[in-house]
Amino acid sequence: MKLPRRQFLYLIAGTAVSPTISRIAMAQAYPSRPIRLVIPFPPGGAFDAVGRPWADKVKPLLGTVVVENMGGGGSSIGAAAVARARPDGYTILLGGTQTHVNEALLKSQPLYDPVKDLDPIAGVAANVLCIAVHHAVPVQTLNELIAYAKANPGKLSYGHSGVGSIQHLTGELFKSLTGTPEIVQVPYRGTGPVITDLVGGQIPMGTPGVTGQVIELHRSGKMRVLAVTSPTRLVAAPELPTAAELGFPGLTVGGSIGLLAPAGTPVGIIEQVAQATRTAIAEPAYQQLLIDAGIEPTLDSNPEKFRQSLAADVALWAPIVKALGLKLD
């Protein structure tokens, strides 16, 4: 049957816009069920300190957010699971520098493409790391640690949150800058286990991300933080010196923490989550919670700003990774 030209054009136009209408409708109905937030590390550490309060703060705006810790591979396993998830806004990754640097720079056969397979939503916070030792290690300062390591080659080991993690890279960078190549790296499946074994004396040294827990353990004498990797002293712990002021400006490093979605997630949903995040971070109570934990809140972020931030992080670490000759496969 031959259709009149006008009716035919209406049908073609309807077919062309139907996917767009479907995506708009999806965004307008979102969210209609709980959102899953994947934290690609075991419980404990900076990612938990950022992600769990975020889930609570956005509940009035987005509904229930179920937090799932999925550790392993220095964040790769959890991030890859999100990259493969359905792009409908109901699976979100708490990733950032770690999830991009790991796959972009350290693997010849990455589990996912951090640029093509994940869409940035918004930055939430920035985290720095520290050089910490068990209280029984006979050193009080960073320079004393370096001297001790050189005088006792092979005796020291440090724990980090996983091979290829920012903690691992920071530890290897520390060894390179201080001429202590015989310090042995010990990988864990997240920061929580590193802190547990550092306090317990199973490992003498660690490079954990700074959190309220780390600061409290330092102040209570259960472990000793010798330096932090921030450009200036932390508001939450001004007594802790920076590596830069101790003579190692090259150890001024850190990482961004933020939200990412599977590539192809509708723009309306991306912006809805980004706006909820901006609203949450605008609350002074949430900002203070992060600051008290030694974590710097990221204000007024959006998808494009977070995309640019991650690209800058990869560019920062690329020459360091190359100079250290690190590869995971």
Side-chain angles (χ1 to χ4, degrees):
M1 180 179 69
K2 191 172 182 180
L3 295 172
R5 175 177 173 81
R6 180 174 294 180
Q7 186 177 351
F8 175 76
L9 291 175
Y10 283 162
L11 286 172
I12 293 296
T15 302
V17 300
S18 59
T20 302
I21 292 173
S22 176
R23 288 194 295 269
I24 292 172
M26 185 188 299
Q28 289 174 340
Y30 176 87
S32 60
R33 64 178 190 271
I35 298 168
R36 173 187 176 217
L37 177 68
V38 174
I39 297 179
F41 294 102
F47 278 70
D48 258 22
V50 172
R52 292 183 180 274
W54 177 86
D56 290 335
K57 290 293 183 181
V58 299
K59 187 174 182 179
L61 303 168
L62 297 175
T64 300
V65 177
V66 178
V67 177
E68 179 180 349
N69 292 90
M70 190 181 297
S75 79
S76 291
I77 293 176
V82 174
R84 293 191 295 264
R86 185 178 177 184
D88 56 8
Y90 290 98
T91 302
I92 294 174
L93 174 69
L94 188 68
T97 303
Q98 176 65 69
T99 52
H100 274 54
V101 168
N102 205 336
E103 303 302 305
L105 301 178
L106 293 166
K107 293 184 178 180
S108 57
Q109 295 181 319
L111 297 181
Y112 60 92
D113 185 316
V115 175
K116 294 180 180 179
D117 296 338
L118 292 169
D119 286 343
I121 298 175
V124 179
N127 182 228
V128 299
L129 296 91
C130 66
I131 307 298
V133 296
H134 183 256
H135 63 81
V137 177
V139 301
Q140 298 294 322
T141 67
L142 191 66
N143 283 322
E144 287 180 5
L145 173 64
I146 295 166
Y148 180 80
K150 290 180 177 179
N152 298 274
K155 188 173 181 178
L156 280 179
S157 60
Y158 77 93
H160 57 77
S161 59
V163 175
S165 67
I166 298 300
Q167 293 183 24
H168 179 204
L169 296 181
T170 299
E172 295 305 299
L173 181 59
F174 170 80
K175 290 163 55 177
S176 176
L177 292 173
T178 60
T180 54
E182 293 185 330
I183 298 178
V184 179
Q185 60 97 6
V186 181
Y188 285 77
R189 287 174 61 87
T191 301
V194 172
I195 293 173
T196 298
D197 277 8
L198 184 55
V199 170
Q202 283 76 26
I203 50 172
M205 177 180 166
T207 54
V210 178
T211 63
Q213 180 192 22
V214 168
I215 294 170
E216 184 55 39
L217 289 170
H218 166 78
R219 288 173 175 168
S220 66
K222 294 181 179 178
M223 70 181 195
R224 190 175 302 121
V225 175
L226 303 179
V228 293
T229 65
S230 52
T232 59
R233 294 200 178 199
L234 299 173
V235 174
E239 72 272 22
L240 299 177
T242 67
E245 69 184 85
L246 296 176
F248 299 97
L251 206 57
T252 303
V253 295
S256 60
I257 300 175
L259 304 164
L260 300 109
T265 299
V267 174
I269 290 177
I270 294 284
E271 183 50 44
Q272 190 173 340
V273 178
Q275 181 56 54
T277 301
R278 288 191 292 270
T279 300
I281 297 178
E283 290 187 18
Y286 186 30
Q287 291 181 30
Q288 194 59 51
L289 181 69
L290 293 174
I291 291 170
D292 289 343
I295 299 169
E296 186 73 20
T298 301
L299 305 178
D300 197 30
S301 184
N302 60 42
E304 185 54 33
K305 285 182 180 179
F306 192 33
R307 187 188 307 279
Q308 292 174 2
S309 173
L310 292 174
D313 289 340
V314 172
L316 171 68
W317 280 106
I320 297 173
V321 169
K322 184 177 181 180
L324 294 174
L326 293 176
K327 279 292 179 183
L328 300 186
D329 50 20

